[in-house]
Short mmCIF file of all heavy atoms in Angstrom, two decimals:
data_model
loop_
_atom_site.label_atom_id
_atom_site.label_comp_id
_atom_site.label_asym_id
_atom_site.label_seq_id
_atom_site.Cartn_x
_atom_site.Cartn_y
_atom_site.Cartn_z
N MET X 862 -3.35 3.94 -16.48
CA MET X 862 -2.70 2.92 -15.73
C MET X 862 -1.54 3.50 -14.88
O MET X 862 -1.25 3.04 -13.81
CB MET X 862 -2.13 1.84 -16.66
CG MET X 862 -1.48 0.74 -15.88
SD MET X 862 -1.35 -0.66 -16.94
CE MET X 862 0.08 -1.34 -16.27
N LYS X 863 -0.87 4.58 -15.41
CA LYS X 863 0.21 5.13 -14.63
C LYS X 863 -0.27 5.74 -13.37
O LYS X 863 0.40 5.71 -12.31
CB LYS X 863 0.97 6.17 -15.51
CG LYS X 863 1.93 5.64 -16.52
CD LYS X 863 2.70 6.76 -17.11
CE LYS X 863 3.85 6.13 -17.98
NZ LYS X 863 4.65 7.15 -18.52
N GLY X 864 -1.45 6.32 -13.42
CA GLY X 864 -1.98 6.98 -12.18
C GLY X 864 -2.28 6.03 -11.09
O GLY X 864 -2.09 6.22 -9.91
N LYS X 865 -2.83 4.85 -11.54
CA LYS X 865 -3.10 3.78 -10.52
C LYS X 865 -1.81 3.19 -9.94
O LYS X 865 -1.77 2.88 -8.74
CB LYS X 865 -3.94 2.68 -11.17
CG LYS X 865 -5.35 3.10 -11.51
CD LYS X 865 -6.13 1.97 -12.10
CE LYS X 865 -7.47 2.42 -12.55
NZ LYS X 865 -8.24 1.33 -13.22
N LYS X 866 -0.81 3.01 -10.78
CA LYS X 866 0.45 2.51 -10.27
C LYS X 866 1.12 3.56 -9.35
O LYS X 866 1.72 3.14 -8.36
CB LYS X 866 1.36 2.18 -11.42
CG LYS X 866 2.50 1.29 -11.13
CD LYS X 866 3.17 0.72 -12.34
CE LYS X 866 3.32 -0.75 -12.17
NZ LYS X 866 3.93 -1.39 -13.25
N ALA X 867 0.99 4.77 -9.67
CA ALA X 867 1.55 5.85 -8.82
C ALA X 867 0.85 5.88 -7.48
O ALA X 867 1.51 6.05 -6.42
CB ALA X 867 1.44 7.19 -9.53
N SER X 868 -0.47 5.71 -7.50
CA SER X 868 -1.16 5.75 -6.24
C SER X 868 -0.82 4.54 -5.36
O SER X 868 -0.73 4.61 -4.14
CB SER X 868 -2.68 5.79 -6.40
OG SER X 868 -3.13 4.62 -7.07
N ALA X 869 -0.60 3.38 -5.99
CA ALA X 869 -0.13 2.19 -5.27
C ALA X 869 1.23 2.43 -4.63
O ALA X 869 1.50 2.08 -3.48
CB ALA X 869 -0.10 0.97 -6.18
N THR X 870 2.08 3.09 -5.39
CA THR X 870 3.45 3.45 -4.88
C THR X 870 3.30 4.38 -3.69
O THR X 870 4.07 4.20 -2.70
CB THR X 870 4.30 4.03 -5.98
OG1 THR X 870 4.32 3.13 -7.12
CG2 THR X 870 5.69 4.32 -5.52
N LEU X 871 2.46 5.31 -3.77
CA LEU X 871 2.25 6.21 -2.66
C LEU X 871 1.71 5.53 -1.42
O LEU X 871 2.10 5.85 -0.29
CB LEU X 871 1.30 7.38 -3.08
CG LEU X 871 1.93 8.40 -4.07
CD1 LEU X 871 0.88 9.39 -4.51
CD2 LEU X 871 3.11 9.05 -3.52
N PHE X 872 0.85 4.54 -1.58
CA PHE X 872 0.39 3.77 -0.45
C PHE X 872 1.54 2.98 0.15
O PHE X 872 1.65 2.91 1.40
CB PHE X 872 -0.70 2.80 -0.87
CG PHE X 872 -2.08 3.35 -0.99
CD1 PHE X 872 -2.76 3.44 -2.16
CD2 PHE X 872 -2.67 3.92 0.15
CE1 PHE X 872 -4.05 3.98 -2.24
CE2 PHE X 872 -3.96 4.46 0.10
CZ PHE X 872 -4.62 4.51 -1.12
N PHE X 873 2.47 2.48 -0.64
CA PHE X 873 3.61 1.76 -0.15
C PHE X 873 4.54 2.68 0.62
O PHE X 873 5.05 2.33 1.68
CB PHE X 873 4.36 1.06 -1.25
CG PHE X 873 3.68 -0.13 -1.82
CD1 PHE X 873 3.66 -0.39 -3.18
CD2 PHE X 873 2.94 -1.01 -0.99
CE1 PHE X 873 2.96 -1.42 -3.70
CE2 PHE X 873 2.31 -2.17 -1.54
CZ PHE X 873 2.32 -2.34 -2.91
N ILE X 874 4.77 3.90 0.13
CA ILE X 874 5.62 4.88 0.81
C ILE X 874 4.94 5.26 2.10
O ILE X 874 5.68 5.37 3.12
CB ILE X 874 5.85 6.10 -0.13
CG1 ILE X 874 6.75 5.67 -1.30
CG2 ILE X 874 6.50 7.23 0.66
CD1 ILE X 874 6.86 6.71 -2.36
N ALA X 875 3.63 5.47 2.13
CA ALA X 875 2.99 5.78 3.41
C ALA X 875 3.11 4.65 4.38
O ALA X 875 3.28 4.91 5.59
CB ALA X 875 1.57 6.16 3.07
N SER X 876 3.02 3.45 3.89
CA SER X 876 3.14 2.30 4.74
C SER X 876 4.53 2.22 5.42
O SER X 876 4.67 2.06 6.61
CB SER X 876 2.95 1.03 3.93
OG SER X 876 3.22 -0.12 4.65
N VAL X 877 5.57 2.49 4.64
CA VAL X 877 6.93 2.54 5.15
C VAL X 877 7.03 3.63 6.23
O VAL X 877 7.67 3.42 7.26
CB VAL X 877 7.94 2.69 4.03
CG1 VAL X 877 9.32 2.98 4.63
CG2 VAL X 877 7.98 1.45 3.15
N CYS X 878 6.48 4.79 5.96
CA CYS X 878 6.50 5.88 6.93
C CYS X 878 5.84 5.51 8.25
O CYS X 878 6.32 5.81 9.35
CB CYS X 878 5.89 7.15 6.34
SG CYS X 878 6.81 7.89 5.03
N PHE X 879 4.68 4.84 8.15
CA PHE X 879 3.99 4.42 9.37
C PHE X 879 4.83 3.36 10.09
O PHE X 879 4.84 3.30 11.30
CB PHE X 879 2.59 3.89 9.03
CG PHE X 879 1.56 4.95 8.83
CD1 PHE X 879 0.82 5.00 7.65
CD2 PHE X 879 1.27 5.82 9.85
CE1 PHE X 879 -0.13 5.95 7.53
CE2 PHE X 879 0.31 6.72 9.70
CZ PHE X 879 -0.39 6.87 8.56
N TYR X 880 5.48 2.47 9.35
CA TYR X 880 6.33 1.46 9.97
C TYR X 880 7.48 2.12 10.72
O TYR X 880 7.88 1.69 11.85
CB TYR X 880 6.86 0.42 9.02
CG TYR X 880 5.83 -0.60 8.60
CD1 TYR X 880 5.76 -1.14 7.30
CD2 TYR X 880 4.94 -1.13 9.52
CE1 TYR X 880 4.85 -2.04 6.91
CE2 TYR X 880 3.98 -2.07 9.14
CZ TYR X 880 3.98 -2.56 7.86
OH TYR X 880 3.02 -3.47 7.48
N ILE X 881 8.04 3.13 10.15
CA ILE X 881 9.19 3.84 10.74
C ILE X 881 8.72 4.55 11.97
O ILE X 881 9.39 4.51 13.03
CB ILE X 881 9.83 4.82 9.72
CG1 ILE X 881 10.64 4.07 8.65
CG2 ILE X 881 10.80 5.76 10.46
CD1 ILE X 881 11.06 4.91 7.50
N ALA X 882 7.56 5.17 11.91
CA ALA X 882 6.99 5.80 13.10
C ALA X 882 6.70 4.82 14.21
O ALA X 882 6.89 5.06 15.39
CB ALA X 882 5.71 6.55 12.74
N ALA X 883 6.26 3.58 13.85
CA ALA X 883 6.02 2.52 14.86
C ALA X 883 7.30 2.09 15.49
O ALA X 883 7.37 1.92 16.73
CB ALA X 883 5.33 1.38 14.21
N ILE X 884 8.38 1.96 14.71
CA ILE X 884 9.65 1.52 15.28
C ILE X 884 10.19 2.59 16.20
O ILE X 884 10.67 2.25 17.31
CB ILE X 884 10.70 1.23 14.14
CG1 ILE X 884 10.26 -0.01 13.35
CG2 ILE X 884 12.06 1.13 14.65
CD1 ILE X 884 11.02 -0.18 12.07
N ILE X 885 10.09 3.83 15.76
CA ILE X 885 10.53 4.95 16.73
C ILE X 885 9.69 4.97 17.99
O ILE X 885 10.21 5.14 19.05
CB ILE X 885 10.47 6.27 15.97
CG1 ILE X 885 11.51 6.33 14.85
CG2 ILE X 885 10.67 7.43 16.92
CD1 ILE X 885 11.41 7.53 13.94
N GLY X 886 8.40 4.68 17.81
CA GLY X 886 7.49 4.71 18.99
C GLY X 886 7.82 3.56 19.94
O GLY X 886 7.69 3.74 21.11
N PHE X 887 8.18 2.38 19.42
CA PHE X 887 8.49 1.25 20.27
C PHE X 887 9.72 1.52 21.11
O PHE X 887 9.82 1.18 22.27
CB PHE X 887 8.70 -0.03 19.42
CG PHE X 887 7.39 -0.71 19.04
CD1 PHE X 887 7.17 -1.08 17.72
CD2 PHE X 887 6.35 -0.93 19.96
CE1 PHE X 887 6.00 -1.68 17.38
CE2 PHE X 887 5.20 -1.54 19.58
CZ PHE X 887 5.01 -1.95 18.24
N PHE X 888 10.74 2.17 20.47
CA PHE X 888 11.95 2.43 21.16
C PHE X 888 11.92 3.57 22.17
O PHE X 888 12.61 3.69 23.12
CB PHE X 888 13.12 2.62 20.17
CG PHE X 888 13.58 1.38 19.53
CD1 PHE X 888 13.53 1.20 18.20
CD2 PHE X 888 14.08 0.33 20.34
CE1 PHE X 888 13.97 0.04 17.57
CE2 PHE X 888 14.47 -0.87 19.75
CZ PHE X 888 14.44 -1.02 18.38
N SER X 889 10.97 4.51 21.87
CA SER X 889 10.88 5.69 22.77
C SER X 889 9.65 5.54 23.66
O SER X 889 9.21 6.52 24.30
CB SER X 889 10.74 6.95 21.92
OG SER X 889 9.54 6.98 21.18
N ASP X 890 9.08 4.35 23.74
CA ASP X 890 7.93 4.11 24.66
C ASP X 890 6.75 4.99 24.35
O ASP X 890 6.10 5.56 25.21
CB ASP X 890 8.36 4.28 26.12
CG ASP X 890 7.45 3.55 27.02
OD1 ASP X 890 6.80 2.50 26.61
OD2 ASP X 890 7.33 3.97 28.22
N GLY X 891 6.42 5.03 23.02
CA GLY X 891 5.28 5.82 22.62
C GLY X 891 3.98 5.07 22.82
O GLY X 891 3.93 3.84 22.89
N ASP X 892 2.90 5.86 22.96
CA ASP X 892 1.57 5.23 23.22
C ASP X 892 0.96 4.70 21.92
O ASP X 892 0.17 3.79 21.95
CB ASP X 892 0.68 6.26 23.92
CG ASP X 892 1.11 6.61 25.27
OD1 ASP X 892 1.81 5.77 25.91
OD2 ASP X 892 0.79 7.73 25.72
N PHE X 893 1.23 5.31 20.83
CA PHE X 893 0.53 5.04 19.60
C PHE X 893 1.32 4.15 18.62
O PHE X 893 0.93 4.08 17.43
CB PHE X 893 0.11 6.36 18.86
CG PHE X 893 -0.88 7.16 19.62
CD1 PHE X 893 -0.53 8.32 20.32
CD2 PHE X 893 -2.23 6.77 19.64
CE1 PHE X 893 -1.43 9.03 20.97
CE2 PHE X 893 -3.15 7.49 20.28
CZ PHE X 893 -2.77 8.63 21.05
N SER X 894 2.33 3.54 19.08
CA SER X 894 3.19 2.71 18.19
C SER X 894 2.42 1.56 17.59
O SER X 894 2.61 1.21 16.41
CB SER X 894 4.46 2.28 18.92
OG SER X 894 4.10 1.57 20.06
N VAL X 895 1.53 0.94 18.33
CA VAL X 895 0.75 -0.17 17.85
C VAL X 895 -0.22 0.36 16.72
O VAL X 895 -0.47 -0.31 15.79
CB VAL X 895 -0.01 -0.90 18.96
CG1 VAL X 895 -0.93 -1.96 18.41
CG2 VAL X 895 0.98 -1.48 19.94
N VAL X 896 -0.76 1.54 16.95
CA VAL X 896 -1.69 2.11 16.00
C VAL X 896 -0.94 2.39 14.68
O VAL X 896 -1.47 2.11 13.61
CB VAL X 896 -2.32 3.42 16.53
CG1 VAL X 896 -3.12 4.11 15.52
CG2 VAL X 896 -3.16 3.09 17.75
N TYR X 897 0.28 2.88 14.80
CA TYR X 897 1.08 3.16 13.56
C TYR X 897 1.43 1.87 12.85
O TYR X 897 1.43 1.83 11.65
CB TYR X 897 2.35 3.92 13.93
CG TYR X 897 2.13 5.37 14.38
CD1 TYR X 897 2.85 5.92 15.40
CD2 TYR X 897 1.12 6.16 13.78
CE1 TYR X 897 2.65 7.23 15.83
CE2 TYR X 897 0.86 7.40 14.22
CZ TYR X 897 1.64 7.97 15.22
OH TYR X 897 1.45 9.24 15.65
N LEU X 898 1.69 0.82 13.65
CA LEU X 898 1.95 -0.47 13.03
C LEU X 898 0.77 -0.97 12.26
O LEU X 898 0.85 -1.49 11.15
CB LEU X 898 2.39 -1.46 14.10
CG LEU X 898 2.86 -2.84 13.65
CD1 LEU X 898 4.11 -2.74 12.88
CD2 LEU X 898 2.99 -3.74 14.85
N CYS X 899 -0.43 -0.86 12.86
CA CYS X 899 -1.67 -1.27 12.19
C CYS X 899 -1.97 -0.43 10.97
O CYS X 899 -2.40 -0.97 9.94
CB CYS X 899 -2.84 -1.21 13.15
SG CYS X 899 -2.74 -2.46 14.45
N LEU X 900 -1.75 0.84 11.06
CA LEU X 900 -1.96 1.75 9.86
C LEU X 900 -0.97 1.38 8.76
O LEU X 900 -1.37 1.37 7.57
CB LEU X 900 -1.81 3.16 10.27
CG LEU X 900 -3.00 3.80 10.99
CD1 LEU X 900 -2.61 5.20 11.50
CD2 LEU X 900 -4.18 3.91 10.10
N GLY X 901 0.25 1.12 9.16
CA GLY X 901 1.21 0.68 8.09
C GLY X 901 0.79 -0.61 7.39
O GLY X 901 0.90 -0.70 6.17
N SER X 902 0.29 -1.53 8.14
CA SER X 902 -0.17 -2.80 7.55
C SER X 902 -1.40 -2.56 6.67
O SER X 902 -1.52 -3.17 5.58
CB SER X 902 -0.51 -3.80 8.69
OG SER X 902 0.65 -4.06 9.40
N ALA X 903 -2.28 -1.68 7.09
CA ALA X 903 -3.45 -1.41 6.31
C ALA X 903 -3.09 -0.71 5.01
O ALA X 903 -3.59 -1.10 3.89
CB ALA X 903 -4.46 -0.53 7.08
N PHE X 904 -2.15 0.23 5.03
CA PHE X 904 -1.73 0.88 3.81
C PHE X 904 -1.04 -0.10 2.89
O PHE X 904 -1.06 0.04 1.67
CB PHE X 904 -0.89 2.10 4.16
CG PHE X 904 -1.68 3.35 4.41
CD1 PHE X 904 -2.51 3.48 5.48
CD2 PHE X 904 -1.64 4.40 3.46
CE1 PHE X 904 -3.23 4.62 5.74
CE2 PHE X 904 -2.41 5.56 3.69
CZ PHE X 904 -3.18 5.67 4.79
N LEU X 905 -0.28 -1.00 3.47
CA LEU X 905 0.42 -2.03 2.64
C LEU X 905 -0.59 -2.86 1.91
O LEU X 905 -0.46 -3.17 0.74
CB LEU X 905 1.34 -2.88 3.52
CG LEU X 905 2.17 -3.88 2.84
CD1 LEU X 905 3.22 -3.28 1.99
CD2 LEU X 905 2.80 -4.83 3.85
N CYS X 906 -1.65 -3.25 2.61
CA CYS X 906 -2.68 -4.12 1.97
C CYS X 906 -3.44 -3.31 0.90
O CYS X 906 -3.81 -3.83 -0.16
CB CYS X 906 -3.68 -4.60 3.04
SG CYS X 906 -3.01 -5.78 4.17
N ILE X 907 -3.74 -2.01 1.15
CA ILE X 907 -4.41 -1.20 0.13
C ILE X 907 -3.54 -1.06 -1.11
O ILE X 907 -4.05 -1.14 -2.25
CB ILE X 907 -4.80 0.15 0.75
CG1 ILE X 907 -5.87 0.00 1.83
CG2 ILE X 907 -5.30 1.11 -0.35
CD1 ILE X 907 -6.11 1.22 2.63
N GLY X 908 -2.23 -0.85 -0.92
CA GLY X 908 -1.39 -0.74 -2.07
C GLY X 908 -1.29 -2.05 -2.89
O GLY X 908 -1.29 -2.03 -4.13
N ALA X 909 -1.24 -3.16 -2.21
CA ALA X 909 -1.22 -4.46 -2.87
C ALA X 909 -2.50 -4.68 -3.63
O ALA X 909 -2.47 -5.19 -4.74
CB ALA X 909 -0.96 -5.57 -1.89
N ALA X 910 -3.60 -4.31 -3.05
CA ALA X 910 -4.89 -4.45 -3.69
C ALA X 910 -5.01 -3.57 -4.94
O ALA X 910 -5.54 -4.00 -5.99
CB ALA X 910 -6.02 -4.16 -2.75
N GLN X 911 -4.39 -2.43 -4.87
CA GLN X 911 -4.41 -1.49 -5.98
C GLN X 911 -3.57 -2.07 -7.13
O GLN X 911 -4.05 -2.06 -8.26
CB GLN X 911 -3.80 -0.14 -5.54
CG GLN X 911 -3.89 0.96 -6.57
CD GLN X 911 -5.26 1.55 -6.65
OE1 GLN X 911 -6.04 1.47 -5.71
NE2 GLN X 911 -5.59 2.13 -7.77
N LEU X 912 -2.43 -2.65 -6.87
CA LEU X 912 -1.63 -3.30 -7.85
C LEU X 912 -2.36 -4.46 -8.46
O LEU X 912 -2.27 -4.75 -9.67
CB LEU X 912 -0.29 -3.67 -7.35
CG LEU X 912 0.77 -2.53 -7.17
CD1 LEU X 912 2.07 -3.16 -6.64
CD2 LEU X 912 1.06 -1.88 -8.50
N ASN X 913 -2.97 -5.29 -7.61
CA ASN X 913 -3.70 -6.46 -8.10
C ASN X 913 -4.85 -6.03 -9.01
O ASN X 913 -5.10 -6.71 -10.03
CB ASN X 913 -4.23 -7.26 -6.93
CG ASN X 913 -4.80 -8.58 -7.36
OD1 ASN X 913 -4.48 -9.10 -8.40
ND2 ASN X 913 -5.68 -9.14 -6.51
N ARG X 914 -5.50 -4.95 -8.67
CA ARG X 914 -6.59 -4.49 -9.55
C ARG X 914 -6.05 -3.98 -10.85
O ARG X 914 -6.66 -4.19 -11.91
CB ARG X 914 -7.34 -3.32 -8.81
CG ARG X 914 -8.64 -2.95 -9.55
CD ARG X 914 -9.39 -1.93 -8.75
NE ARG X 914 -8.80 -0.64 -8.98
CZ ARG X 914 -9.19 0.48 -8.39
NH1 ARG X 914 -10.17 0.48 -7.53
NH2 ARG X 914 -8.59 1.57 -8.68
N ASP X 915 -4.88 -3.34 -10.86
CA ASP X 915 -4.23 -2.94 -12.14
C ASP X 915 -3.92 -4.17 -12.98
O ASP X 915 -4.16 -4.12 -14.19
CB ASP X 915 -2.95 -2.19 -11.88
CG ASP X 915 -3.19 -0.81 -11.25
OD1 ASP X 915 -4.36 -0.36 -11.30
OD2 ASP X 915 -2.24 -0.22 -10.75
N ASP X 916 -3.44 -5.23 -12.42
CA ASP X 916 -3.14 -6.44 -13.16
C ASP X 916 -4.40 -7.05 -13.73
O ASP X 916 -4.38 -7.52 -14.88
CB ASP X 916 -2.42 -7.47 -12.28
CG ASP X 916 -1.00 -7.04 -11.91
OD1 ASP X 916 -0.48 -6.15 -12.63
OD2 ASP X 916 -0.44 -7.62 -10.92
N ASN X 917 -5.47 -7.05 -12.98
CA ASN X 917 -6.76 -7.59 -13.49
C ASN X 917 -7.30 -6.77 -14.64
O ASN X 917 -7.86 -7.32 -15.59
CB ASN X 917 -7.78 -7.74 -12.39
CG ASN X 917 -7.44 -8.83 -11.40
OD1 ASN X 917 -6.60 -9.74 -11.72
ND2 ASN X 917 -7.97 -8.74 -10.21
N ASP X 918 -7.17 -5.47 -14.53
CA ASP X 918 -7.63 -4.60 -15.63
C ASP X 918 -6.81 -4.81 -16.88
O ASP X 918 -7.37 -4.84 -17.98
CB ASP X 918 -7.55 -3.15 -15.22
CG ASP X 918 -8.57 -2.73 -14.13
OD1 ASP X 918 -9.54 -3.47 -13.93
OD2 ASP X 918 -8.40 -1.67 -13.52
N THR X 919 -5.51 -5.00 -16.75
CA THR X 919 -4.67 -5.24 -17.93
C THR X 919 -5.03 -6.58 -18.57
O THR X 919 -5.06 -6.69 -19.75
CB THR X 919 -3.18 -5.21 -17.48
OG1 THR X 919 -2.90 -3.98 -16.83
CG2 THR X 919 -2.28 -5.39 -18.67
N ASP X 920 -5.27 -7.61 -17.74
CA ASP X 920 -5.63 -8.91 -18.26
C ASP X 920 -6.99 -8.86 -19.02
O ASP X 920 -7.12 -9.47 -20.10
CB ASP X 920 -5.73 -9.96 -17.18
CG ASP X 920 -4.35 -10.28 -16.53
OD1 ASP X 920 -3.38 -9.96 -17.20
OD2 ASP X 920 -4.35 -10.82 -15.42
N LYS X 921 -7.89 -8.09 -18.50
CA LYS X 921 -9.20 -7.99 -19.20
C LYS X 921 -9.05 -7.31 -20.54
O LYS X 921 -9.64 -7.66 -21.53
CB LYS X 921 -10.18 -7.21 -18.28
CG LYS X 921 -10.75 -7.98 -17.16
CD LYS X 921 -11.70 -7.16 -16.34
CE LYS X 921 -12.22 -7.92 -15.16
NZ LYS X 921 -13.14 -7.10 -14.36
N LYS X 922 -8.24 -6.26 -20.60
CA LYS X 922 -8.02 -5.53 -21.86
C LYS X 922 -7.35 -6.45 -22.87
O LYS X 922 -7.64 -6.42 -24.03
CB LYS X 922 -7.14 -4.30 -21.62
CG LYS X 922 -7.95 -3.21 -20.95
CD LYS X 922 -7.07 -1.97 -20.70
CE LYS X 922 -7.83 -0.94 -19.91
NZ LYS X 922 -6.97 0.23 -19.61
N GLU X 923 -6.35 -7.30 -22.44
CA GLU X 923 -5.68 -8.17 -23.38
C GLU X 923 -6.64 -9.24 -23.87
O GLU X 923 -6.60 -9.66 -25.04
CB GLU X 923 -4.46 -8.81 -22.68
CG GLU X 923 -3.35 -7.86 -22.43
CD GLU X 923 -2.16 -8.43 -21.64
OE1 GLU X 923 -2.31 -9.64 -21.25
OE2 GLU X 923 -1.22 -7.78 -21.42
N ASN X 924 -7.53 -9.75 -23.05
CA ASN X 924 -8.49 -10.74 -23.48
C ASN X 924 -9.53 -10.22 -24.41
O ASN X 924 -10.01 -10.84 -25.29
CB ASN X 924 -9.17 -11.41 -22.24
CG ASN X 924 -8.22 -12.30 -21.48
OD1 ASN X 924 -7.25 -12.75 -21.99
ND2 ASN X 924 -8.54 -12.51 -20.21
N ASP X 925 -9.87 -8.93 -24.23
CA ASP X 925 -10.87 -8.28 -25.14
C ASP X 925 -10.26 -8.08 -26.48
O ASP X 925 -10.99 -8.08 -27.48
CB ASP X 925 -11.36 -6.94 -24.49
CG ASP X 925 -12.22 -7.14 -23.34
OD1 ASP X 925 -12.77 -8.27 -23.11
OD2 ASP X 925 -12.37 -6.22 -22.55
N ASP X 926 -8.97 -7.86 -26.59
CA ASP X 926 -8.34 -7.60 -27.88
C ASP X 926 -8.22 -8.87 -28.69
O ASP X 926 -8.12 -8.82 -29.90
CB ASP X 926 -6.97 -6.99 -27.65
CG ASP X 926 -6.96 -5.58 -27.11
OD1 ASP X 926 -8.02 -4.91 -27.25
OD2 ASP X 926 -5.96 -5.11 -26.51
N GLN X 927 -8.22 -10.03 -28.09
CA GLN X 927 -8.07 -11.28 -28.80
C GLN X 927 -9.37 -11.73 -29.35
O GLN X 927 -10.14 -11.87 -29.76
CB GLN X 927 -7.52 -12.37 -27.90
CG GLN X 927 -6.13 -12.06 -27.43
CD GLN X 927 -5.62 -13.12 -26.48
OE1 GLN X 927 -6.35 -14.06 -26.07
NE2 GLN X 927 -4.36 -13.00 -26.05
#
């Protein structure tokens, strides 16, 4: 479970990095700032899905023990 939570955290960190790159791109008139914004959003969604999957796995294990 720690590995899955760590990978979700890494997705969130990558998302923040893409958002920072998008902000810098918007202010410096970069061409790929919208692409970085979309990539940041995609990584944010993947990280959230990873955490949701971890919660569902934990719930299944608790229900099996009862």
Side-chain angles (χ1 to χ4, degrees):
M862 181 164 150
K863 280 189 173 182
K865 291 181 184 178
K866 197 167 230 179
S868 66
T870 304
L871 290 175
F872 278 118
F873 289 139
I874 291 171
S876 172
V877 169
C878 291
F879 279 123
Y880 283 143
I881 291 171
I884 291 169
I885 292 170
F887 280 131
F888 286 120
S889 66
D890 199 28
D892 293 333
F893 293 105
S894 56
V895 174
V896 174
Y897 292 141
L898 185 66
C899 292
L900 283 172
S902 298
F904 273 68
L905 183 68
C906 291
I907 292 170
Q911 187 78 22
L912 281 181
N913 189 22
R914 191 173 79 181
D915 290 345
D916 290 342
N917 289 340
D918 290 343
T919 304
D920 291 342
K921 285 181 183 178
K922 287 179 185 177
E923 289 175 359
N924 288 338
D925 290 341
D926 290 339
Q927 293 177 355

